[in-house]
Amino acid sequence: MSEINDMSRRDLIELGVAGAAVAMASPAAMAQSRAGSSDGDKPVGFAIVGLGKLSQGQLLPGLTRTKNAKLTGLVSGDPAKAARLAVQYNVPAKSVYSYETYDRIIRDPAIEVVYIVLPNNMHAEYTIRALKAGKHVLCEKPMATTVADSEAMIAAAKAADRKLMIAYRCHYEPTNLAAMRRIRSGGIGKPRTVWTDMSRQANFSDPSDAWRVSKEMSGTGALADMGVYGINAARYLLNEEPIEVRAWASTDRSDPRFKEVEDLVSWQFRFPSGAIANGSTAFNSNGGMGFQVAGEKGRVVADPGCLYGGNRLTFGAPNGKTVEITEIDQFAREMDWMADVVRGRAPMVAPGEEGLQDMRLIDAIMQSIARDGATIKTDWGYKRAVDPAAVVDV
Ligand code: NDP
């Protein structure tokens, strides 16, 4: 591409024309952006996009504990916060971007993976922009706010020939892996029922929760935020996909948190094996994040089962035996896994299709609620490509 074209691309970025850099990206810029993707043992450079609660509390600290992933970039709408965190985590000032300058990551070969940690309705746009800039993407759950956006993200990854992974941290968490392995080994016999409850009290005074009760920004409130853990868990615990869904909601519309989204959502999944899962989620409950799978011969109970730490697993009934679990930093493990996927050392456990499956199930749940618990068919042929229990070591 000529210097004139190069200049005009720069000018357009300066003017803040989103996507212009991408649309005009030269083969040379794409090659520069992709440099490092086959760099053997070199740590994979990660940029974190959105420096909110999860990024500051878990991901930036987690990146100090990774073996194969390294923090090399930050993207934020708050320059002072970004500058402070850049100093704290040794990110060079040239690799700190705003949402307006984001597309310039195309010229930053130190960034190989972009980790999207934004409100749900921003996942699709920032994922697609990163993919078009030649970067691999790790995107937080839920993948997006709509099925259409999720499909567009998958298509963009295919078009760019880049990896798109959804950040389902429980796939890399020892309690969940031990539960999956117990079930796969026949330890509880044929699974019959699954119970999941992923609930908490949303706190309006916390800005991090304010967008979670906006329909536009969250998609579906507690269901998108917490319920997705239960949807995903039922599927990975049984290692099969629901063929039918029924769901109900219970929401106090006088509660100012629930002007736009449902509060309590409860659903049933029917699986081809005959197993039935009961799931629930709420923003006005102290339910916690637990699950149980009962089989013909025994059961696994993890309550809590999906916290950042302190999960507790028991096998058997009625007086279950507590299983010794050595805790790890599941966020660091997940980012290392992504790094290994990029380097071709590990299989992709949660590709975009895995996030899309949950988005389609969320959609089916909402359809059932709208039809007063009507049965919605969900047998659209999805099959997970890689079972976390078969490949993830912790
Ligand atoms: P926060 O609200 O704490 O952080 C989101 C950040 O996004 C903000 O701090 C801000 O960063 C940036 N942002 C840009 N535009 C907006 C906007 N219009 N409104 C609000 N924030 C904006 O959310 P969380 O960190 O808790 O969650 C982020 C994502 O991570 C969500 O998708 C959530 O579902 C997921 N998540 C996953 C968890 C897990 O365990 N896997 C746990 C918690 C969250 P800045 O100021 O730097 O621009």
Side-chain angles (χ1 to χ4, degrees):
M1 187 174 275
S2 73
E3 205 180 320
I4 292 171
N5 278 346
D6 202 43
M7 278 300 293
S8 52
R9 184 174 69 244
R10 220 166 22 239
D11 293 345
L12 284 166
I13 304 167
E14 236 84 81
L15 287 169
V17 182
V22 169
M24 302 182 71
S26 68
M30 286 300 278
Q32 187 190 15
S33 177
R34 286 166 181 241
S37 295
S38 57
D39 282 6
D41 291 338
K42 204 181 99 191
V44 173
F46 274 57
I48 302 284
V49 186
L51 306 177
K53 218 167 169 175
L54 180 68
S55 294
Q56 291 190 58
Q58 278 70 42
L59 306 182
L60 295 173
L63 277 162
T64 66
R65 293 188 273 271
T66 42
K67 296 189 189 97
N68 311 322
K70 183 180 169 215
L71 181 68
T72 53
L74 295 173
V75 182
S76 172
D78 181 337
K81 176 171 64 176
R84 174 175 59 76
L85 290 168
V87 169
Q88 187 179 339
Y89 288 99
N90 284 321
V91 176
K94 68 176 176 47
S95 291
V96 177
Y97 299 88
S98 68
Y99 300 117
E100 289 71 35
T101 63
Y102 179 60
D103 299 305
R104 289 184 201 175
I105 59 173
I106 195 169
R107 294 203 203 120
D108 195 337
I111 298 172
E112 294 176 74
V113 170
V114 170
Y115 191 168
I116 309 294
V117 202
L118 294 162
N120 306 345
N121 66 327
M122 298 173 76
H123 290 184
E125 179 192 340
Y126 284 84
T127 291
I128 292 169
R129 283 167 69 180
L131 290 165
K132 286 185 174 172
K135 307 302 177 184
H136 303 283
V137 172
L138 177 56
C139 178
E140 262 309 328
K141 47 54 59 180
M143 179 174 186
T145 50
T146 65
V147 168
D149 276 358
S150 309
E151 288 169 340
M153 292 159 78
I154 292 169
K158 286 209 174 86
D161 191 22
R162 300 285 85 185
K163 306 287 185 195
L164 168 60
M165 177 169 134
I166 309 305
Y168 287 113
R169 61 182 167 80
C170 294
H171 295 179
Y172 314 88
E173 195 279 329
T175 303
N176 285 266
L177 287 162
M180 285 182 237
R181 287 181 178 134
R182 175 78 170 172
I183 296 163
R184 303 284 189 280
S185 71
I188 65 165
K190 185 180 177 190
R192 304 304 325 280
T193 59
V194 179
W195 161 85
T196 64
D197 184 28
M198 306 289 168
S199 302
R200 65 185 176 89
Q201 282 291 346
N203 176 6
F204 247 159
S205 59
D206 181 345
S208 186
D209 270 358
W211 66 260
R212 282 171 159 87
V213 291
S214 149
K215 188 172 164 54
E216 186 193 342
M217 296 185 80
S218 76
T220 51
L223 181 60
D225 191 46
M226 312 277 293
V228 71
Y229 284 98
I231 294 170
N232 200 255
R235 298 176 41 240
Y236 63 68
L237 289 165
L238 295 175
N239 201 24
E240 58 177 339
E241 300 300 327
I243 50 174
E244 277 178 1
V245 172
R246 302 174 67 192
W248 299 265
S250 172
T251 305
D252 176 0
R253 294 291 177 197
S254 70
D255 184 325
R257 291 175 294 183
F258 305 120
K259 296 281 181 236
E260 299 183 13
V261 293
E262 299 291 354
D263 168 23
L264 166 60
V265 174
S266 179
W267 62 90
Q268 285 187 325
F269 287 155
R270 198 162 73 80
F271 288 87
S273 66
I276 292 180
N278 282 280
S280 52
T281 186
F283 268 161
N284 183 23
S285 162
N286 283 311
M289 294 190 85
F291 62 79
Q292 170 183 286
V293 184
E296 286 173 346
K297 292 197 299 191
R299 64 175 175 170
V300 297
V301 184
D303 193 10
C306 296
L307 296 180
Y308 298 166
N311 293 319
R312 191 169 162 272
L313 183 65
T314 58
F315 288 164
N319 299 311
K321 179 174 163 295
T322 300
V323 181
E324 276 304 318
I325 298 286
T326 306
E327 290 200 2
I328 61 161
D329 181 333
Q330 57 191 278
F331 295 96
R333 185 75 193 94
E334 179 178 56
M335 290 186 279
D336 269 336
W337 194 271
M338 177 71 183
D340 282 347
V341 168
V342 166
R343 291 280 184 261
R345 291 188 293 251
M348 176 75 89
V349 174
E353 287 79 1
E354 178 68 9
L356 171 63
Q357 172 71 351
D358 285 341
M359 290 306 304
R360 293 182 79 181
L361 289 168
I362 285 175
D363 198 50
I365 287 170
M366 295 307 290
Q367 282 180 46
S368 179
I369 290 170
R371 292 168 49 197
D372 201 22
T375 300
I376 307 293
K377 298 278 181 206
T378 59
D379 188 11
W380 41 68
Y382 174 76
K383 177 88 185 96
R384 147 182 300 113
V386 177
D387 176 8
V391 296
V392 179
D393 54 320
V394 285

